[in-house]
Structures are given as structure tokens and as C-alpha cells.
Amino acid sequence: MWNTPPAVITPTLLSRLPEGLRRPRRSAWADANRAGAPVDSFLEGPCFDGAGNLFCTDIPHGRVFRVSGSHWEAVVEYEGWPNGLAAREDELLVADYRHGVLSLDPRTGAMAAVAENIHSEGFRGINDLILHRDGSILLTDQGQTGLQDPTGRVWRLHPDGRMDRLISNGPSPNGLTLNRAGTHLLVAMTRSCEVWRFALREDALVAKANLFFRVPAGTSGPDGMAVDAHDRLFVANPGHGQVWVVDPHGLATHRVDCTGFGRMPTNCAFAPDGRTLVITESQSGSLLAAEIPAA
């Protein structure tokens, strides 16, 4: 797959979900995703706000955590399945599989709906979201789509409430991120093991979407993603236990090997220093940190 194997980066343990906050139990999420086995947590959506606070989600238990060192505080616990997070001014935007896009006040835990449906039609199941500098929200509507049903959708929600459907044939659209210029969107298609890339236009016309990167085939394809200041793409790949580091031309140069902790790195985000990649490793219920070499 590569002429030169990607160099290995070994992460360290940043923090681990305390035992007192682990809740091993069967749930509707566990029935759908873990064959009914008890699940004590499933971490996703690492996100830093403007003050440098670190947050993440726990999907099956409907929790959003604020993490500081070894201290984990549940900002909110509710009847939902929160996944991706994005910080906007004094609020967090939450991609919730059950409820759509929600707003969370991290000071009070108050939640409000931002987008519950599209013209009264429900979402398939929102997975992740990202903010554009123009104020729009880009989000993946994954549901249970895959190779058997490549009808996953990618939406753009404008500040005035208009909704653009950018993609409607995605085989499980999952994580998404923007290039540094904000001109192109990259979307992880989990079940085809691909990352798609296409230009964003004001008229919402998508043309010549291309395959930018492909992860090795296996039990699970790409999940959450991030981009650094050098336009390198970071692709969390549960199943293989890696986070792939991809240069702006689509070539993998490094891999963060998370298998010393588990095989489920689900998402990643950069700390405010721009060099430390924070990774949710969901098999162990941990946050990992990886120092990324200069470009």
C-alpha cells in the first residue's frame, strides 16, 4: 500500500475514565453495537473550548465529560447518544444520534435543540459535526448505512436555518474535517474504508468528489478526523488501533499506534498547543496523547 511504511508514533496515557464513572450495563446502544454485551462507556468527540478545557462524550450513557488531569466531571447526563462535539463561543454543539444537533451550555448543563429534523423528516442518525468559519455547521447523517445501503448523507446547516444536502450516497459517513483554508471538506466513509474530499461551494453543488485516502480493510474503517496547521490529516481507525497521519497529497507518513491501550481509537483533536493530538481510545475508556513531529 505504501512504498515507505509510515513511521510509528507511540502515544501516552493522558487520562482514564475513573472506575466510579464506569457503568457496565446492557442498553439499547449495546444491543445495536455490541451484541447486547454490557458496556461501561464508549468515548468519542474530544474537543477543546476557547479556554482550553477538554471535553468528550460517552455515547451509550448520554454523558458529556469535562476532563482535567485525572478529574472527570459529567457536565450533563441525559437520554441521548452524544457523539461529536464542536465548541462555539460559550456553548458546545453536540451531534446526537437520537436527537440531531443540540446546544449544550457547559456551565449549567442546559441543552437546547439546534436541528432536530429536515423539513419534518428525521435524520438517519447524526454522527459528527464541524464548524465552518462562515458560521455554518457541517454534519454527517450516518444512521445504519454501509456498503449494503450507501445512502448516508452530509448536510450543511447555515446560520439562517437553510439546510444543504451535500452528499446522499455515502457508505456510512462518519468523521469530517475541513482543510485549513476551509475550501474543501473531508469525510470518513467508515464501511468503504475511505476518506472522500470535495470542494465546498456557495450553491451547494458538489462535483468531482474524490477518494483522498484509503485505510486498510478490516473490521472497521475510518472514524473521527482532524487537520493540523500544515494541512496534514489525522484519521482515527478503530479495528486496526491506529491514527493515520496523511500529508496534503494523500500519502500516509506516520501512524499513531494505540494498540498498547486498545484497538478502538475513535476520534482525535489537537490540544491548544497545536502539536499534541488527543485521542479517545474507547476499548479501554481512555484519553491518549501523541506528540506529532514537525512537518
Side-chain angles (χ1 to χ4, degrees):
M1 187 173 182
W2 297 286
N3 292 328
T4 303
V8 176
I9 300 170
T10 302
T12 59
L13 179 65
L14 179 64
S15 192
R16 188 174 185 275
L17 181 65
E19 292 300 324
L21 292 173
R22 293 176 181 263
R23 296 179 178 173
R25 69 185 187 202
R26 183 174 177 177
S27 64
W29 187 92
D31 287 347
N33 296 278
R34 291 294 177 269
V39 177
D40 67 10
S41 65
F42 196 87
L43 303 182
E44 284 260 18
C47 172
F48 289 88
D49 67 10
N53 296 302
L54 173 59
F55 299 87
C56 68
T57 60
D58 172 22
I59 299 176
H61 300 93
R63 296 183 288 185
V64 177
F65 290 111
R66 181 187 291 111
V67 183
S68 177
S70 61
H71 179 67
W72 292 59
E73 174 193 2
V75 175
V76 68
E77 182 172 352
Y78 69 105
E79 290 296 322
W81 292 346
N83 195 323
L85 293 176
R88 183 172 69 175
E89 298 178 349
D90 294 328
E91 66 177 345
L92 294 175
L93 295 174
V94 183
D96 185 285
Y97 189 94
R98 285 181 164 178
H99 303 298
V101 181
L102 304 174
S103 170
L104 169 63
D105 185 338
R107 298 162 299 185
T108 66
M111 304 190 82
V114 175
E116 297 177 285
N117 53 63
I118 317 101
H119 302 302
S120 78
E121 177 188 355
F123 291 110
R124 299 285 183 86
I126 298 298
N127 184 287
D128 204 356
L129 50 75
I130 189 170
L131 284 167
H132 195 281
R133 65 186 62 171
D134 66 7
S136 62
I137 305 169
L138 296 146
L139 52 137
T140 51
D141 191 9
Q142 181 185 41
Q144 296 299 302
T145 62
L147 292 177
Q148 88 292 347
D149 177 25
T151 58
R153 301 177 294 190
V154 179
W155 300 96
R156 177 170 58 186
L157 174 60
H158 293 274
D160 62 6
R162 288 179 296 118
M163 187 82 83
D164 298 329
R165 186 172 63 184
L166 302 175
I167 293 289
S168 59
N169 64 329
S172 198
N174 194 326
L176 75 172
T177 191
L178 291 157
N179 68 337
R180 296 296 297 179
T183 58
H184 286 73
L185 185 65
L186 297 112
V187 182
M189 299 295 178
T190 300
R191 300 307 163 194
S192 60
C193 298
E194 298 169 336
V195 176
W196 292 8
R197 177 181 183 270
F198 56 88
L200 288 174
R201 294 168 50 106
E202 298 245 348
D203 59 9
L205 175 66
V206 174
K208 296 184 178 179
N210 75 284
L211 169 56
F212 180 74
F213 182 68
R214 178 179 282 122
V215 307
T219 57
S220 185
D223 196 330
M225 303 191 297
V227 164
D228 73 358
H230 305 284
D231 254 339
R232 293 181 294 184
L233 177 67
F234 295 76
V235 184
N237 183 194
H240 292 292
Q242 308 294 314
V243 178
W244 303 100
V245 185
V246 184
D247 75 10
H249 308 288
L251 299 176
T253 60
H254 298 75
R255 60 183 175 92
V256 183
D257 185 357
C258 304
T259 56
F261 301 91
R263 299 191 69 89
M264 291 294 292
T266 53
N267 219 316
C268 55
F270 274 96
D273 64 13
R275 302 184 308 274
T276 305
L277 188 71
V278 175
I279 303 161
T280 46
E281 203 299 298
S282 299
Q283 184 175 359
S284 62
S286 303
L287 293 171
L288 309 181
E291 295 302 313
I292 303 302

PDB file of all heavy atoms in Angstrom, residues 117-151:
ATOM      1  N   ASN A 117     -34.578  17.957  12.763  1.00  0.00           N
ATOM      2  CA  ASN A 117     -35.023  17.271  11.559  1.00  0.00           C
ATOM      3  C   ASN A 117     -34.777  18.169  10.355  1.00  0.00           C
ATOM      4  O   ASN A 117     -34.314  19.303  10.496  1.00  0.00           O
ATOM      5  CB  ASN A 117     -36.505  16.883  11.653  1.00  0.00           C
ATOM      6  CG  ASN A 117     -37.374  18.076  12.009  1.00  0.00           C
ATOM      7  OD1 ASN A 117     -37.455  19.053  11.260  1.00  0.00           O
ATOM      8  ND2 ASN A 117     -38.035  18.017  13.163  1.00  0.00           N
ATOM      9  N   ILE A 118     -35.099  17.645   9.171  1.00  0.00           N
ATOM     10  CA  ILE A 118     -35.012  18.419   7.932  1.00  0.00           C
ATOM     11  C   ILE A 118     -36.404  18.473   7.330  1.00  0.00           C
ATOM     12  O   ILE A 118     -36.918  17.464   6.857  1.00  0.00           O
ATOM     13  CB  ILE A 118     -34.043  17.799   6.918  1.00  0.00           C
ATOM     14  CG1 ILE A 118     -32.760  17.313   7.602  1.00  0.00           C
ATOM     15  CG2 ILE A 118     -33.705  18.767   5.797  1.00  0.00           C
ATOM     16  CD1 ILE A 118     -32.736  15.845   7.842  1.00  0.00           C
ATOM     17  N   HIS A 119     -37.043  19.643   7.396  1.00  0.00           N
ATOM     18  CA  HIS A 119     -38.400  19.798   6.855  1.00  0.00           C
ATOM     19  C   HIS A 119     -39.334  18.699   7.385  1.00  0.00           C
ATOM     20  O   HIS A 119     -40.067  18.071   6.638  1.00  0.00           O
ATOM     21  CB  HIS A 119     -38.378  19.786   5.334  1.00  0.00           C
ATOM     22  CG  HIS A 119     -37.516  20.859   4.742  1.00  0.00           C
ATOM     23  ND1 HIS A 119     -37.711  22.197   5.001  1.00  0.00           N
ATOM     24  CD2 HIS A 119     -36.452  20.771   3.916  1.00  0.00           C
ATOM     25  CE1 HIS A 119     -36.795  22.899   4.352  1.00  0.00           C
ATOM     26  NE2 HIS A 119     -36.016  22.069   3.687  1.00  0.00           N
ATOM     27  N   SER A 120     -39.237  18.441   8.669  1.00  0.00           N
ATOM     28  CA  SER A 120     -40.043  17.481   9.426  1.00  0.00           C
ATOM     29  C   SER A 120     -39.614  16.031   9.239  1.00  0.00           C
ATOM     30  O   SER A 120     -40.130  15.140   9.921  1.00  0.00           O
ATOM     31  CB  SER A 120     -41.543  17.610   9.093  1.00  0.00           C
ATOM     32  OG  SER A 120     -41.873  16.998   7.861  1.00  0.00           O
ATOM     33  N   GLU A 121     -38.673  15.757   8.339  1.00  0.00           N
ATOM     34  CA  GLU A 121     -38.160  14.396   8.190  1.00  0.00           C
ATOM     35  C   GLU A 121     -36.989  14.196   9.149  1.00  0.00           C
ATOM     36  O   GLU A 121     -36.088  15.038   9.226  1.00  0.00           O
ATOM     37  CB  GLU A 121     -37.676  14.158   6.760  1.00  0.00           C
ATOM     38  CG  GLU A 121     -37.068  12.766   6.556  1.00  0.00           C
ATOM     39  CD  GLU A 121     -36.415  12.595   5.205  1.00  0.00           C
ATOM     40  OE1 GLU A 121     -36.500  13.527   4.371  1.00  0.00           O
ATOM     41  OE2 GLU A 121     -35.806  11.538   4.979  1.00  0.00           O
ATOM     42  N   GLY A 122     -36.992  13.099   9.886  1.00  0.00           N
ATOM     43  CA  GLY A 122     -35.939  12.852  10.850  1.00  0.00           C
ATOM     44  C   GLY A 122     -34.612  12.526  10.193  1.00  0.00           C
ATOM     45  O   GLY A 122     -34.539  12.053   9.059  1.00  0.00           O
ATOM     46  N   PHE A 123     -33.529  12.778  10.921  1.00  0.00           N
ATOM     47  CA  PHE A 123     -32.207  12.362  10.474  1.00  0.00           C
ATOM     48  C   PHE A 123     -32.083  10.843  10.535  1.00  0.00           C
ATOM     49  O   PHE A 123     -32.799  10.173  11.301  1.00  0.00           O
ATOM     50  CB  PHE A 123     -31.128  12.984  11.355  1.00  0.00           C
ATOM     51  CG  PHE A 123     -30.971  14.472  11.204  1.00  0.00           C
ATOM     52  CD1 PHE A 123     -31.343  15.328  12.220  1.00  0.00           C
ATOM     53  CD2 PHE A 123     -30.428  15.011  10.046  1.00  0.00           C
ATOM     54  CE1 PHE A 123     -31.184  16.704  12.096  1.00  0.00           C
ATOM     55  CE2 PHE A 123     -30.259  16.384   9.906  1.00  0.00           C
ATOM     56  CZ  PHE A 123     -30.641  17.228  10.934  1.00  0.00           C
ATOM     57  N   ARG A 124     -31.158  10.296   9.752  1.00  0.00           N
ATOM     58  CA  ARG A 124     -30.851   8.867   9.866  1.00  0.00           C
ATOM     59  C   ARG A 124     -30.216   8.574  11.228  1.00  0.00           C
ATOM     60  O   ARG A 124     -30.441   7.535  11.822  1.00  0.00           O
ATOM     61  CB  ARG A 124     -29.867   8.446   8.755  1.00  0.00           C
ATOM     62  CG  ARG A 124     -30.385   8.635   7.345  1.00  0.00           C
ATOM     63  CD  ARG A 124     -31.395   7.548   7.012  1.00  0.00           C
ATOM     64  NE  ARG A 124     -31.855   7.675   5.643  1.00  0.00           N
ATOM     65  CZ  ARG A 124     -31.248   7.158   4.578  1.00  0.00           C
ATOM     66  NH1 ARG A 124     -30.116   6.487   4.726  1.00  0.00           N
ATOM     67  NH2 ARG A 124     -31.747   7.303   3.379  1.00  0.00           N
ATOM     68  N   GLY A 125     -29.382   9.471  11.656  1.00  0.00           N
ATOM     69  CA  GLY A 125     -28.638   9.330  12.898  1.00  0.00           C
ATOM     70  C   GLY A 125     -27.363  10.145  12.783  1.00  0.00           C
ATOM     71  O   GLY A 125     -26.400   9.732  12.130  1.00  0.00           O
ATOM     72  N   ILE A 126     -27.363  11.346  13.404  1.00  0.00           N
ATOM     73  CA  ILE A 126     -26.210  12.243  13.295  1.00  0.00           C
ATOM     74  C   ILE A 126     -25.014  11.624  14.026  1.00  0.00           C
ATOM     75  O   ILE A 126     -25.136  11.085  15.126  1.00  0.00           O
ATOM     76  CB  ILE A 126     -26.542  13.622  13.886  1.00  0.00           C
ATOM     77  CG1 ILE A 126     -27.694  14.268  13.112  1.00  0.00           C
ATOM     78  CG2 ILE A 126     -25.321  14.528  13.886  1.00  0.00           C
ATOM     79  CD1 ILE A 126     -27.383  14.524  11.671  1.00  0.00           C
ATOM     80  N   ASN A 127     -23.841  11.752  13.401  1.00  0.00           N
ATOM     81  CA  ASN A 127     -22.630  11.178  13.986  1.00  0.00           C
ATOM     82  C   ASN A 127     -21.628  12.241  14.423  1.00  0.00           C
ATOM     83  O   ASN A 127     -21.128  12.206  15.535  1.00  0.00           O
ATOM     84  CB  ASN A 127     -21.976  10.218  12.985  1.00  0.00           C
ATOM     85  CG  ASN A 127     -20.758   9.513  13.556  1.00  0.00           C
ATOM     86  OD1 ASN A 127     -19.711  10.122  13.723  1.00  0.00           O
ATOM     87  ND2 ASN A 127     -20.905   8.234  13.864  1.00  0.00           N
ATOM     88  N   ASP A 128     -21.301  13.173  13.535  1.00  0.00           N
ATOM     89  CA  ASP A 128     -20.247  14.139  13.851  1.00  0.00           C
ATOM     90  C   ASP A 128     -20.589  15.471  13.201  1.00  0.00           C
ATOM     91  O   ASP A 128     -21.424  15.552  12.291  1.00  0.00           O
ATOM     92  CB  ASP A 128     -18.898  13.623  13.344  1.00  0.00           C
ATOM     93  CG  ASP A 128     -17.715  14.222  14.103  1.00  0.00           C
ATOM     94  OD1 ASP A 128     -17.935  15.098  14.967  1.00  0.00           O
ATOM     95  OD2 ASP A 128     -16.564  13.824  13.831  1.00  0.00           O
ATOM     96  N   LEU A 129     -19.918  16.525  13.682  1.00  0.00           N
ATOM     97  CA  LEU A 129     -20.137  17.854  13.123  1.00  0.00           C
ATOM     98  C   LEU A 129     -18.875  18.682  13.263  1.00  0.00           C
ATOM     99  O   LEU A 129     -17.986  18.401  14.060  1.00  0.00           O
ATOM    100  CB  LEU A 129     -21.327  18.543  13.799  1.00  0.00           C
ATOM    101  CG  LEU A 129     -21.417  18.588  15.327  1.00  0.00           C
ATOM    102  CD1 LEU A 129     -20.458  19.591  15.937  1.00  0.00           C
ATOM    103  CD2 LEU A 129     -22.831  18.908  15.757  1.00  0.00           C
ATOM    104  N   ILE A 130     -18.812  19.728  12.445  1.00  0.00           N
ATOM    105  CA  ILE A 130     -17.685  20.659  12.488  1.00  0.00           C
ATOM    106  C   ILE A 130     -18.196  22.035  12.085  1.00  0.00           C
ATOM    107  O   ILE A 130     -19.154  22.163  11.297  1.00  0.00           O
ATOM    108  CB  ILE A 130     -16.537  20.188  11.564  1.00  0.00           C
ATOM    109  CG1 ILE A 130     -15.286  21.036  11.784  1.00  0.00           C
ATOM    110  CG2 ILE A 130     -16.963  20.180  10.110  1.00  0.00           C
ATOM    111  CD1 ILE A 130     -14.056  20.485  11.089  1.00  0.00           C
ATOM    112  N   LEU A 131     -17.581  23.070  12.629  1.00  0.00           N
ATOM    113  CA  LEU A 131     -17.963  24.444  12.321  1.00  0.00           C
ATOM    114  C   LEU A 131     -17.098  24.997  11.199  1.00  0.00           C
ATOM    115  O   LEU A 131     -15.876  24.807  11.188  1.00  0.00           O
ATOM    116  CB  LEU A 131     -17.785  25.325  13.555  1.00  0.00           C
ATOM    117  CG  LEU A 131     -18.844  25.197  14.650  1.00  0.00           C
ATOM    118  CD1 LEU A 131     -18.365  25.889  15.917  1.00  0.00           C
ATOM    119  CD2 LEU A 131     -20.154  25.813  14.190  1.00  0.00           C
ATOM    120  N   HIS A 132     -17.733  25.695  10.272  1.00  0.00           N
ATOM    121  CA  HIS A 132     -17.015  26.427   9.244  1.00  0.00           C
ATOM    122  C   HIS A 132     -16.843  27.864   9.707  1.00  0.00           C
ATOM    123  O   HIS A 132     -17.647  28.371  10.502  1.00  0.00           O
ATOM    124  CB  HIS A 132     -17.791  26.366   7.922  1.00  0.00           C
ATOM    125  CG  HIS A 132     -16.999  26.782   6.725  1.00  0.00           C
ATOM    126  ND1 HIS A 132     -16.761  28.096   6.412  1.00  0.00           N
ATOM    127  CD2 HIS A 132     -16.382  26.048   5.755  1.00  0.00           C
ATOM    128  CE1 HIS A 132     -16.045  28.170   5.311  1.00  0.00           C
ATOM    129  NE2 HIS A 132     -15.787  26.935   4.887  1.00  0.00           N
ATOM    130  N   ARG A 133     -15.823  28.525   9.211  1.00  0.00           N
ATOM    131  CA  ARG A 133     -15.583  29.909   9.622  1.00  0.00           C
ATOM    132  C   ARG A 133     -16.707  30.855   9.205  1.00  0.00           C
ATOM    133  O   ARG A 133     -16.843  31.955   9.776  1.00  0.00           O
ATOM    134  CB  ARG A 133     -14.245  30.400   9.054  1.00  0.00           C
ATOM    135  CG  ARG A 133     -14.198  30.495   7.545  1.00  0.00           C
ATOM    136  CD  ARG A 133     -12.801  30.838   7.048  1.00  0.00           C
ATOM    137  NE  ARG A 133     -11.838  29.806   7.397  1.00  0.00           N
ATOM    138  CZ  ARG A 133     -10.576  29.774   6.943  1.00  0.00           C
ATOM    139  NH1 ARG A 133     -10.149  30.716   6.128  1.00  0.00           N
ATOM    140  NH2 ARG A 133      -9.763  28.814   7.290  1.00  0.00           N
ATOM    141  N   ASP A 134     -17.534  30.456   8.232  1.00  0.00           N
ATOM    142  CA  ASP A 134     -18.660  31.294   7.822  1.00  0.00           C
ATOM    143  C   ASP A 134     -19.871  31.143   8.735  1.00  0.00           C
ATOM    144  O   ASP A 134     -20.917  31.745   8.503  1.00  0.00           O
ATOM    145  CB  ASP A 134     -19.052  31.010   6.366  1.00  0.00           C
ATOM    146  CG  ASP A 134     -19.612  29.603   6.147  1.00  0.00           C
ATOM    147  OD1 ASP A 134     -19.840  28.869   7.127  1.00  0.00           O
ATOM    148  OD2 ASP A 134     -19.809  29.231   4.970  1.00  0.00           O
ATOM    149  N   GLY A 135     -19.725  30.328   9.781  1.00  0.00           N
ATOM    150  CA  GLY A 135     -20.811  30.140  10.740  1.00  0.00           C
ATOM    151  C   GLY A 135     -21.695  28.948  10.470  1.00  0.00           C
ATOM    152  O   GLY A 135     -22.556  28.614  11.296  1.00  0.00           O
ATOM    153  N   SER A 136     -21.515  28.282   9.341  1.00  0.00           N
ATOM    154  CA  SER A 136     -22.322  27.099   9.046  1.00  0.00           C
ATOM    155  C   SER A 136     -21.805  25.894   9.820  1.00  0.00           C
ATOM    156  O   SER A 136     -20.656  25.867  10.290  1.00  0.00           O
ATOM    157  CB  SER A 136     -22.323  26.804   7.542  1.00  0.00           C
ATOM    158  OG  SER A 136     -21.014  26.515   7.086  1.00  0.00           O
ATOM    159  N   ILE A 137     -22.677  24.896   9.963  1.00  0.00           N
ATOM    160  CA  ILE A 137     -22.341  23.643  10.625  1.00  0.00           C
ATOM    161  C   ILE A 137     -22.405  22.528   9.579  1.00  0.00           C
ATOM    162  O   ILE A 137     -23.417  22.378   8.890  1.00  0.00           O
ATOM    163  CB  ILE A 137     -23.313  23.325  11.775  1.00  0.00           C
ATOM    164  CG1 ILE A 137     -23.365  24.478  12.774  1.00  0.00           C
ATOM    165  CG2 ILE A 137     -22.931  22.029  12.467  1.00  0.00           C
ATOM    166  CD1 ILE A 137     -24.494  24.351  13.788  1.00  0.00           C
ATOM    167  N   LEU A 138     -21.338  21.779   9.458  1.00  0.00           N
ATOM    168  CA  LEU A 138     -21.305  20.624   8.563  1.00  0.00           C
ATOM    169  C   LEU A 138     -21.458  19.375   9.409  1.00  0.00           C
ATOM    170  O   LEU A 138     -20.810  19.233  10.449  1.00  0.00           O
ATOM    171  CB  LEU A 138     -19.998  20.605   7.781  1.00  0.00           C
ATOM    172  CG  LEU A 138     -19.846  21.819   6.857  1.00  0.00           C
ATOM    173  CD1 LEU A 138     -18.396  22.253   6.759  1.00  0.00           C
ATOM    174  CD2 LEU A 138     -20.414  21.527   5.481  1.00  0.00           C
ATOM    175  N   LEU A 139     -22.344  18.462   8.986  1.00  0.00           N
ATOM    176  CA  LEU A 139     -22.629  17.299   9.816  1.00  0.00           C
ATOM    177  C   LEU A 139     -22.858  16.050   8.978  1.00  0.00           C
ATOM    178  O   LEU A 139     -23.341  16.126   7.848  1.00  0.00           O
ATOM    179  CB  LEU A 139     -23.837  17.559  10.709  1.00  0.00           C
ATOM    180  CG  LEU A 139     -25.123  18.050  10.063  1.00  0.00           C
ATOM    181  CD1 LEU A 139     -26.318  17.326  10.658  1.00  0.00           C
ATOM    182  CD2 LEU A 139     -25.292  19.547  10.280  1.00  0.00           C
ATOM    183  N   THR A 140     -22.500  14.917   9.558  1.00  0.00           N
ATOM    184  CA  THR A 140     -22.711  13.628   8.897  1.00  0.00           C
ATOM    185  C   THR A 140     -23.941  12.953   9.474  1.00  0.00           C
ATOM    186  O   THR A 140     -24.159  12.940  10.683  1.00  0.00           O
ATOM    187  CB  THR A 140     -21.493  12.703   9.070  1.00  0.00           C
ATOM    188  OG1 THR A 140     -21.121  12.626  10.454  1.00  0.00           O
ATOM    189  CG2 THR A 140     -20.312  13.199   8.255  1.00  0.00           C
ATOM    190  N   ASP A 141     -24.744  12.394   8.580  1.00  0.00           N
ATOM    191  CA  ASP A 141     -26.010  11.731   8.920  1.00  0.00           C
ATOM    192  C   ASP A 141     -25.839  10.262   8.546  1.00  0.00           C
ATOM    193  O   ASP A 141     -26.231   9.824   7.476  1.00  0.00           O
ATOM    194  CB  ASP A 141     -27.130  12.407   8.126  1.00  0.00           C
ATOM    195  CG  ASP A 141     -28.521  11.992   8.568  1.00  0.00           C
ATOM    196  OD1 ASP A 141     -28.634  11.305   9.604  1.00  0.00           O
ATOM    197  OD2 ASP A 141     -29.478  12.355   7.877  1.00  0.00           O
ATOM    198  N   GLN A 142     -25.256   9.506   9.454  1.00  0.00           N
ATOM    199  CA  GLN A 142     -24.775   8.162   9.166  1.00  0.00           C
ATOM    200  C   GLN A 142     -25.854   7.088   9.259  1.00  0.00           C
ATOM    201  O   GLN A 142     -26.016   6.272   8.360  1.00  0.00           O
ATOM    202  CB  GLN A 142     -23.626   7.820  10.129  1.00  0.00           C
ATOM    203  CG  GLN A 142     -23.019   6.455   9.937  1.00  0.00           C
ATOM    204  CD  GLN A 142     -21.986   6.151  11.012  1.00  0.00           C
ATOM    205  OE1 GLN A 142     -22.194   6.456  12.187  1.00  0.00           O
ATOM    206  NE2 GLN A 142     -20.887   5.564  10.617  1.00  0.00           N
ATOM    207  N   GLY A 143     -26.584   7.101  10.371  1.00  0.00           N
ATOM    208  CA  GLY A 143     -27.552   6.036  10.599  1.00  0.00           C
ATOM    209  C   GLY A 143     -26.894   4.666  10.522  1.00  0.00           C
ATOM    210  O   GLY A 143     -25.780   4.472  10.984  1.00  0.00           O
ATOM    211  N   GLN A 144     -27.578   3.716   9.896  1.00  0.00           N
ATOM    212  CA  GLN A 144     -27.061   2.353   9.757  1.00  0.00           C
ATOM    213  C   GLN A 144     -26.621   2.079   8.313  1.00  0.00           C
ATOM    214  O   GLN A 144     -26.607   0.938   7.870  1.00  0.00           O
ATOM    215  CB  GLN A 144     -28.126   1.349  10.183  1.00  0.00           C
ATOM    216  CG  GLN A 144     -28.520   1.446  11.646  1.00  0.00           C
ATOM    217  CD  GLN A 144     -27.337   1.173  12.571  1.00  0.00           C
ATOM    218  OE1 GLN A 144     -26.722   0.115  12.513  1.00  0.00           O
ATOM    219  NE2 GLN A 144     -27.011   2.144  13.419  1.00  0.00           N
ATOM    220  N   THR A 145     -26.254   3.133   7.600  1.00  0.00           N
ATOM    221  CA  THR A 145     -25.836   2.962   6.209  1.00  0.00           C
ATOM    222  C   THR A 145     -24.487   2.260   6.126  1.00  0.00           C
ATOM    223  O   THR A 145     -23.725   2.213   7.082  1.00  0.00           O
ATOM    224  CB  THR A 145     -25.753   4.317   5.494  1.00  0.00           C
ATOM    225  OG1 THR A 145     -24.771   5.142   6.141  1.00  0.00           O
ATOM    226  CG2 THR A 145     -27.099   5.024   5.523  1.00  0.00           C
ATOM    227  N   GLY A 146     -24.214   1.701   4.950  1.00  0.00           N
ATOM    228  CA  GLY A 146     -22.966   0.991   4.708  1.00  0.00           C
ATOM    229  C   GLY A 146     -22.920   0.540   3.271  1.00  0.00           C
ATOM    230  O   GLY A 146     -23.654   1.039   2.415  1.00  0.00           O
ATOM    231  N   LEU A 147     -22.084  -0.433   2.982  1.00  0.00           N
ATOM    232  CA  LEU A 147     -21.995  -0.934   1.617  1.00  0.00           C
ATOM    233  C   LEU A 147     -23.317  -1.522   1.145  1.00  0.00           C
ATOM    234  O   LEU A 147     -23.629  -1.496  -0.051  1.00  0.00           O
ATOM    235  CB  LEU A 147     -20.876  -1.973   1.514  1.00  0.00           C
ATOM    236  CG  LEU A 147     -19.450  -1.448   1.694  1.00  0.00           C
ATOM    237  CD1 LEU A 147     -18.466  -2.605   1.633  1.00  0.00           C
ATOM    238  CD2 LEU A 147     -19.105  -0.402   0.660  1.00  0.00           C
ATOM    239  N   GLN A 148     -24.108  -2.050   2.079  1.00  0.00           N
ATOM    240  CA  GLN A 148     -25.406  -2.628   1.717  1.00  0.00           C
ATOM    241  C   GLN A 148     -26.439  -1.548   1.433  1.00  0.00           C
ATOM    242  O   GLN A 148     -27.467  -1.804   0.810  1.00  0.00           O
ATOM    243  CB  GLN A 148     -25.896  -3.551   2.842  1.00  0.00           C
ATOM    244  CG  GLN A 148     -26.704  -2.894   3.955  1.00  0.00           C
ATOM    245  CD  GLN A 148     -25.907  -1.927   4.835  1.00  0.00           C
ATOM    246  OE1 GLN A 148     -24.692  -1.890   4.789  1.00  0.00           O
ATOM    247  NE2 GLN A 148     -26.602  -1.137   5.652  1.00  0.00           N
ATOM    248  N   ASP A 149     -26.181  -0.327   1.890  1.00  0.00           N
ATOM    249  CA  ASP A 149     -27.138   0.775   1.744  1.00  0.00           C
ATOM    250  C   ASP A 149     -26.366   2.088   1.736  1.00  0.00           C
ATOM    251  O   ASP A 149     -26.329   2.806   2.736  1.00  0.00           O
ATOM    252  CB  ASP A 149     -28.144   0.740   2.894  1.00  0.00           C
ATOM    253  CG  ASP A 149     -29.130   1.910   2.846  1.00  0.00           C
ATOM    254  OD1 ASP A 149     -29.349   2.447   1.745  1.00  0.00           O
ATOM    255  OD2 ASP A 149     -29.659   2.274   3.917  1.00  0.00           O
ATOM    256  N   PRO A 150     -25.701   2.423   0.616  1.00  0.00           N
ATOM    257  CA  PRO A 150     -24.860   3.622   0.570  1.00  0.00           C
ATOM    258  C   PRO A 150     -25.686   4.893   0.381  1.00  0.00           C
ATOM    259  O   PRO A 150     -25.604   5.555  -0.653  1.00  0.00           O
ATOM    260  CB  PRO A 150     -23.941   3.348  -0.621  1.00  0.00           C
ATOM    261  CG  PRO A 150     -24.755   2.495  -1.531  1.00  0.00           C
ATOM    262  CD  PRO A 150     -25.626   1.651  -0.641  1.00  0.00           C
ATOM    263  N   THR A 151     -26.491   5.213   1.385  1.00  0.00           N
ATOM    264  CA  THR A 151     -27.359   6.387   1.307  1.00  0.00           C
ATOM    265  C   THR A 151     -27.135   7.345   2.478  1.00  0.00           C
ATOM    266  O   THR A 151     -28.019   8.138   2.817  1.00  0.00           O
ATOM    267  CB  THR A 151     -28.836   5.972   1.269  1.00  0.00           C
ATOM    268  OG1 THR A 151     -29.146   5.186   2.435  1.00  0.00           O
ATOM    269  CG2 THR A 151     -29.158   5.166   0.017  1.00  0.00           C
TER     270      THR A 151
END
